[in-house]
Amino acid sequence: MTGRARARSRGRARGQETAPGASQTQEPTPSPTPPATGELVGRGRQKGAPGPFSAEAVLQISAGFQQVKLGERGGHRRDFHDAGVNTRQAMEHVKESKSGTSGVAIQLSTNFFRIISRPRWVLYQYHVDFKPPMESRRLRSALLFHHEEPLGSARSFDGTQLFLPHRLHSKETVLHSETRNGEKVQITVTLTNELPPTSPVILRILNMQQIGRNYYCPSDPLNIPQHRLTIWPGYTTTILQYESSIMLCTDVSHKVLRSETVLDFMVNLRQQCGNQRFPEICTKELIGLIVLTKYNNKTYRIDDIAWDHTPNNTFKRGDTDISFKNYFKTQYGLDITDGNQVLLVSHVKRLGPGGGPPPGPAMLIPELCYLTGLTDKMRADFNIMKDLITHTRLTPEQREDRLNRFVTNIQKNTDAQAELDKWGLNFDKQLLNLTGRVLPGERIFQGSRSYEYNPWAADWSKEMRGIPLISSPPLNNWLLFYTRNNGSKAQTLLQTLSRVSGPLGISIQRAVMIQYEDHQESLLRALQHNVGPQTQMVVVVLPSSRKDKYDSIKKYLCVDCPTPSQCVLSRTLSRPQALMTVATKIALQMACKMGGELWSVEIPLKQLMIVGIDCYHEAGKRSIGALVASLNQGMSRLVSTTRTGNCVMKAALKDYLNFNNCLPSRIIVYRDGVGDGQLHSVVNYEVSQIIDSIKSMGHDYMPKLSVVVVKKRISSRFFTHINGKVSNPPPGTIIDLEVTRPEWYDFYIVSQAVRTGSVSPTHYNVVYDTSGLKPDHMQRLTYKMCHMYYNWQGIIRVPAPCQYAHKLAFLVGQNIHREPSVHLDDFLFYL
């Protein structure tokens, strides 16, 4: 479809607690409706992995942590900050300095606060078990804190993990408490680790609730009643060792909740579709959604629906049977009003006690589950998104003000200060100030001409008008499909394409126009009867954005009958004043999908191949990896594939050899799609796989290789002051001091411009480098590659091969679900 496709990734619940009804069986439950029996198991996931005081401390902590058995640690936990991965020490050319020099200096502020005093003692981490299990975090805290004499007053407890500034007398301490109902509870406190004391404990003192890895304020919600939405404002926090000091990085976060429960949603759905179709439609609508249970502020993914279970069913709690209804009444004081509602099933992924298999599926009550996030229909609603952005897309001034207020609240809150004093922590009151550099704007080469663009706008859509492209194959044999209602729009599109293509140097002959009936089978038949080996391009005008129709078109034209295709929504053609702009973008897309080259920038390095790798993940399905590699000096010819294994890189090298009659002497791989805590896998496994692929081309072939991990989902934000006003930094801003990690060769680039809100920088981490390129050259080359994405006449947030790989992986994973034909490898058919 025209425009930039939005890749909506589904969230996955982190740090989930097992809800009532988790199965105790060691084998996974084969039945689609899991049994409602089992114990309640604690969460056992560390939040905000504490950072080190020095590079040596990082390695010691990581090594010591790995030696502790999973069972002793209370279950599997991931280090979300990738501590212990020290890649810089292996690169001689950046051991002394990893900072660049080119560009103009700019003064910046950032969302980091220095820790100006810190404790000198070790932080002791304990895992806490309750017998019988206690689901309520508040109840667990009350029962544990009753024992102040052995524990002391300085402590942080998240419901499962306990942090103390002193070590208890024995590795395992058993305590005994009693609930108000007279129920005896045994509490076992087990030492699992010794860490530097950098866990942010103050947010709980400020009455904020932890959901996943972030903290939110349910007592200060932002309500949007007309759309039945509620926003919880909150913060992300990490405390880590950066270049010169330990710092707190905090950013504003928002949790979007729907005001309706899952039960409300199910009741409305039944009224709309009737009893007969309800189970099928309900399953399709709910499976995969993330829900929030407010009684424990946990998020769960709905994996199934237990149609034969209601709140009156019982499960084993200890040695006795208890109904779900009675359980929630005694544990949380919650009354379940609908006793006939079915139960939801969420499969718990984390390991069970002692490192064993997962404890089994969690059973959830729809009445107590709140829907989170937005549906595709909501995202397509302009009014909903406009009202939502008003609250969530903060300007740099608003964001900086919110961050300053956060620290001021800590300073003014006596309870928070008392807690900080106990821990010996003290934060700076001001945002960190630092110096960045702004790289000069790039010159764009298009055909025989070149031009510059406004560096603040980072866009050259106006400058490129009327200038022929570098190259574009003539379009002589192509088809335009349309429905009867869209006949006039199709004719108008054809005429406008003819007008805009001439000045761009694109030769377009008149299309063969084919009318089809507005249903999927008719369109597919029309494609099968008319698209042949000589067809260069297929354009389809779609009356609606129905996914199944779009999927069938792409599946047929990408797999069964490989032909570049372009889908256009009829409503995109309904505004006459925007038709020239729309037609220009469609013409450019059609040109590059046929192998055309639109523009380029100066790339000084010779025999260079740049590779972009990204993955598409969907819960419950296999991940799709995509690789896109450059073939020529101008980085304007590319080869793309989603095939897996070491053969992918080898195939790309063979394509380069066929195109240039030589292999590249230098390869730079940009690896996108690496999640928090996955850096270790890239460094230890993927780099060696890339090296093996290169060696397979011949033992005497040894190109210079760089592997760069690209990360977009980060909390770091940067601001600058222009004419006394807090603003976004200009495109091309580089940050490689102060807020980078000492054990990594890393840097930030603010490459794109945004019209609203705060700009998000991109983090680059060079994890392997035998190129010997100076940091300055690596940074500038990375920035240049952000200019080369042909689906946007401007600078994007990541190097173009990464974005191409993302688009390809998304198309395969979301739409065609099969490997595209090899005949399309040389075309950007996925734009």
Side-chain angles (χ1 to χ4, degrees), residues 699-755:
H699 292 293
D700 56 342
Y701 177 53
M702 295 179 64
K704 295 173 179 177
L705 173 66
S706 304
V707 180
V708 186
V709 172
V710 182
K711 218 169 174 191
K712 302 184 291 292
R713 293 186 178 182
I714 56 175
S715 299
S716 308
R717 294 288 183 271
F718 300 98
F719 316 104
T720 189
H721 290 256
I722 298 172
N723 299 325
K725 185 182 177 184
V726 183
S727 306
N728 285 315
T733 299
I734 302 276
I735 301 96
D736 55 12
L737 296 165
E738 296 275 3
V739 294
T740 51
R741 299 273 284 271
E743 70 271 26
W744 295 347
Y745 170 17
D746 60 332
F747 55 91
Y748 296 89
I749 301 183
V750 176
S751 52
Q752 80 281 26
V754 295
R755 293 177 183 173

Side-chain angles (χ1 to χ4, degrees), residues 338-627:
D338 188 343
N340 295 319
Q341 60 188 302
V342 298
L343 302 188
L344 309 174
V345 181
S346 179
H347 295 304
V348 180
K349 302 289 192 299
R350 70 169 190 80
L351 295 179
M363 311 296 281
L364 306 172
I365 311 294
E367 187 180 328
L368 304 178
C369 296
Y370 286 82
L371 294 163
T372 67
L374 302 173
T375 63
D376 291 334
K377 188 177 179 181
M378 286 175 164
R379 290 176 187 276
D381 190 312
F382 174 78
N383 292 321
I384 291 179
M385 297 308 295
K386 181 183 175 184
D387 293 338
L388 202 58
I389 284 169
T390 305
H391 296 287
T392 59
R393 192 169 291 177
L394 304 178
T395 66
E397 195 166 14
Q398 290 171 325
R399 189 176 292 270
E400 189 175 90
D401 179 61
R402 191 85 69 87
L403 294 170
N404 283 322
R405 248 190 298 155
F406 168 71
V407 172
T408 303
N409 289 341
I410 293 173
Q411 304 284 346
K412 289 182 177 178
N413 188 303
T414 52
D415 290 336
Q417 280 303 303
E419 189 71 17
L420 286 172
D421 290 341
K422 287 179 190 174
W423 292 90
L425 288 168
N426 193 7
F427 297 98
D428 200 340
K429 298 176 184 178
Q430 308 245 325
L431 292 171
L432 178 72
N433 293 312
L434 72 162
T435 302
R437 293 175 291 113
V438 183
L439 296 177
E442 292 292 329
R443 192 165 191 83
I444 306 297
F445 295 88
Q446 187 174 322
S448 59
R449 294 172 60 180
S450 66
Y451 51 85
E452 293 179 344
Y453 57 88
N454 178 358
W456 277 92
D459 178 290
W460 51 86
S461 54
K462 291 181 181 177
E463 287 80 359
M464 76 175 295
R465 286 178 189 167
I467 302 176
L469 306 176
I470 295 175
S471 70
S472 177
L475 183 54
N476 300 320
N477 190 343
W478 63 295
L479 311 176
L480 177 60
F481 292 82
Y482 64 96
T483 59
R484 185 175 61 183
N485 293 339
N486 292 321
S488 59
K489 289 179 181 177
Q491 287 286 357
T492 306
L493 173 63
L494 206 59
Q495 294 165 6
T496 315
L497 280 173
S498 180
R499 288 172 58 191
V500 301
S501 60
L504 292 171
I506 306 173
S507 173
I508 299 182
Q509 299 299 317
R510 185 169 179 82
V512 175
M513 299 189 68
I514 300 161
Q515 184 177 310
Y516 68 94
E517 295 299 320
D518 186 14
H519 54 85
Q520 189 174 321
E521 295 77 12
S522 171
L523 175 55
L524 194 56
R525 277 198 306 272
L527 291 170
Q528 291 167 342
H529 291 160
N530 293 283
V531 180
Q534 304 303 316
T535 307
Q536 294 174 275
M537 170 67 63
V538 173
V539 178
V540 182
V541 179
L542 291 169
S544 68
S545 56
R546 275 184 53 180
K547 184 178 182 298
D548 56 349
K549 196 175 290 185
Y550 180 79
D551 290 356
S552 67
I553 296 168
K554 290 297 179 181
K555 201 172 289 183
Y556 182 72
L557 295 176
C558 292
V559 181
D560 302 326
C561 182
T563 310
S565 59
Q566 177 71 40
C567 293
V568 187
L569 278 176
S570 61
R571 69 165 179 263
T572 310
L573 308 173
S574 59
R575 292 190 302 143
Q577 66 273 23
L579 201 54
M580 288 290 285
T581 304
V582 169
T584 301
K585 290 187 175 183
I586 292 172
L588 292 174
Q589 278 188 307
M590 290 167 64
C592 59
K593 283 181 179 184
M594 293 188 300
E597 302 168 59
L598 307 192
W599 64 76
S600 68
V601 294
E602 183 185 6
I603 306 290
L605 297 173
K606 308 297 181 188
Q607 291 186 339
L608 167 67
M609 182 169 87
I610 290 191
V611 178
I613 301 173
D614 200 359
C615 294
Y616 170 83
H617 306 284
E618 186 169 2
K621 298 182 181 178
R622 72 180 183 94
S623 296
I624 306 294
L627 181 146

Side-chain angles (χ1 to χ4, degrees), residues 254 305-306 315 341 440 811:
H254 296 94
I305 301 174
F315 66 96
Q341 60 188 302
L811 177 72

